[in-house]
Amino acid sequence: MKKNVIIITLASVVLVSAVAAGISFNNISNKVKAYDNVIYPGVKVEDVDLSGKTKVEALAILNQKYGDALIKKKINIKAPEKTYTLNYEKLSAKYNIEKIVDEAFSYNKDKGLLQKNKLIKSPTPKQFKLTGSFTFDSKPVKELIGVMQKEIDKQPANAAINMVSRGNFSITPDKKGSKLNTENLEKDILSKISGDLNGDVEIQAPVEDVQASITGDKLSKINTKLSSFSTNFSTSTAARATNISLATSFINGKVLMPGETFSFNDVVGQRTASRGFQEAPVIIGNKVDSGLGGGICQVSTTLYNAAIRANLQTVERIHHTLPSHYIGLGMDATVDYGNIDYKFKNTLEFPVYIEAYTENRNIVFSVYSDKSLTSRTYDLVNEVYDTMQPEVKYVDDPNMDEGVTETVQPASIGYKVRVYKNTYENGKLIAHDLITNETYNKVDGTVKRGTRKKQ
């Protein structure tokens, strides 16, 4: 009997324990189940505690605190004359809040019942960061930089020099330009675009000064005449005189910086009737014919003599096929647009200014530069060391009366000539340099003579 009582008692204890355990398990299960649709305790996103929040609630909280604040943020780019602003909203900047909420919501949901219960009873703090989910569109950055570049980039303005009276100059100062360093600016902007909400982004635009290639300081070195040369065209026709005056005017005021090369054809341009040039005598081969711009070779010759006396280096130059009446042998420079040019280079350390004008049927060229160059002067001298006499061939013409002649090809004496450049320092000859050794070939003449008997 006593044994049965003990058995019944034990059974009752087991039954009570089982019931109690069942009740406890149900409590745990219900407790854990209560977190199936909410975020576990101790879970934060940034500094926002989302414990017990549903996904919808968490999204609303985070969007209000971080999403709305983010699109109000600005990038301010300060340039010399203006501050440019780019809103984060235009960048489509955002956090992937849905992804972060999903991660926060899923945190520890894969654990077992007892582990979940333990985490609910004794939460382990867990913080998720938004910065890793930050994204933006960089295209508006490039677009803004393009706008800035158009407004900021400015070409410098070169200084200019004008002769206000013979030998006296006025200088218009140069102006600096500016250039936006677009590559550095883009790198700077992109590196500072972040999800950090601590104030707007402030950036200094990298704008560089662009110096003019011709400055007032450089042009101020033009203060003294180095050389001058003139030739006379008093025997020229009106058309030839027009061509000479026109070509000379195109050269007047030309400035040549150190290292620059002057091209006669580039400066004077093509000789056309629409530009005012006229038909006038011109040497073509061994004959004097008529052509547009006839007489311009006297301009290039006069300039050549002024330039070489200023110690400017000849780059390209040839003489005429026939001697020129207005200059000594070997001292001429012929030009033919598209075929023959006259070029010289400014090898001086200072800029030069070319004054050119016609006056009383004279072409005058003067070259100006720095006064320090005037201790030396230069001149050209020639030496004819051989002459070649032409022959004259007479051709009978029965269609012309006796005693009548007609020159078909004028005869021209040939010459061999050496040209020297003399250098004087303070008036004393210090150099006598051969610069050209040239030949003007003789031209045999042809004369028709009449044989027809007069009636």
Side-chain angles (χ1 to χ4, degrees), residues 235-391:
T235 59
S236 294
T237 64
R240 189 175 187 275
T242 295
N243 295 335
I244 286 173
S245 296
L246 186 59
T248 301
S249 69
F250 288 132
I251 302 170
N252 184 44
K254 177 67 179 176
V255 174
L256 210 60
M257 301 303 291
E260 284 189 330
T261 296
F262 176 99
S263 163
F264 187 93
N265 284 339
D266 286 350
V267 173
V268 174
Q270 190 170 3
R271 282 64 108 175
T272 62
S274 62
R275 297 184 67 229
F277 290 100
Q278 300 181 18
E279 293 275 348
V282 60
I283 297 174
I284 302 176
N286 292 329
K287 294 182 179 180
V288 176
D289 211 331
S290 183
L292 269 174
I296 285 181
C297 289
Q298 186 169 348
V299 178
S300 56
T301 292
T302 310
L303 175 58
Y304 166 65
N305 279 268
I308 207 162
R309 285 170 171 80
N311 200 31
L312 300 174
Q313 183 183 62
T314 303
V315 173
E316 182 179 333
R317 169 255 167 200
I318 65 171
H319 63 80
H320 291 82
T321 51
L322 299 174
S324 301
H325 67 276
Y326 49 79
I327 196 70
L329 291 169
M331 298 179 180
D332 56 324
T334 185
V335 288
D336 179 20
Y337 190 83
N339 297 302
I340 303 170
D341 203 356
Y342 164 52
K343 296 179 181 180
F344 61 90
K345 184 177 183 179
N346 180 9
T347 51
L348 308 177
E349 58 181 305
F350 305 105
V352 299
Y353 178 96
I354 301 173
E355 179 189 26
Y357 61 93
T358 56
E359 186 176 73
N360 299 323
R361 289 280 180 133
N362 290 299
I363 308 170
V364 181
F365 277 99
S366 296
V367 179
Y368 293 80
S369 191
D370 189 72
K371 186 177 181 179
S372 63
L373 301 174
T374 56
S375 61
R376 289 190 176 186
T377 57
Y378 306 87
D379 197 12
L380 287 186
V381 292
N382 61 0
E383 173 193 5
V384 178
Y385 64 92
D386 193 12
T387 58
M388 296 155 282
Q389 295 298 326
E391 297 179 357

Side-chain angles (χ1 to χ4, degrees), residues 23-81:
I23 292 171
S24 178
F25 182 83
N26 284 334
N27 287 339
I28 292 171
S29 178
N30 289 335
K31 190 175 183 180
V32 169
K33 191 173 182 180
Y35 278 89
D36 281 353
N37 293 315
V38 296
I39 296 169
Y40 274 24
V43 175
K44 290 183 177 182
V45 173
E46 297 294 340
D47 61 350
V48 178
D49 188 352
L50 297 179
S51 302
K53 304 297 183 185
T54 65
K55 280 187 178 182
V56 172
E57 291 171 336
L59 281 170
I61 292 169
L62 294 178
N63 275 323
Q64 183 178 16
K65 181 162 186 179
Y66 296 107
D68 294 347
L70 182 66
I71 61 176
K72 292 177 182 177
K73 191 172 176 179
K74 299 175 182 177
I75 301 170
N76 299 313
I77 308 167
K78 188 176 181 181
E81 298 180 1

Side-chain angles (χ1 to χ4, degrees), residues 94-113:
K94 62 181 180 179
Y95 302 111
N96 194 340
I97 292 176
E98 289 185 5
K99 178 176 178 291
I100 295 297
V101 169
D102 283 342
E103 291 177 4
F105 180 82
S106 299
Y107 181 65
N108 283 328
K109 290 289 199 303
D110 60 342
K111 306 295 185 189
L113 183 68

Side-chain angles (χ1 to χ4, degrees), residues 156-202:
N158 284 331
I161 187 168
N162 292 292
M163 183 176 283
V164 292
S165 62
R166 193 124 312 147
N168 295 309
F169 299 93
S170 70
I171 294 175
T172 303
D174 55 286
K175 292 182 180 179
K176 291 179 182 178
S178 56
K179 183 175 179 59
L180 177 67
N181 190 323
T182 57
E183 184 178 348
N184 285 354
L185 177 58
E186 184 175 355
K187 287 179 182 177
D188 195 17
I189 294 174
L190 295 179
S191 70
K192 292 179 180 176
I193 296 177
S194 69
D196 183 4
L197 294 177
N198 295 326
D200 293 338
V201 176
E202 304 293 334

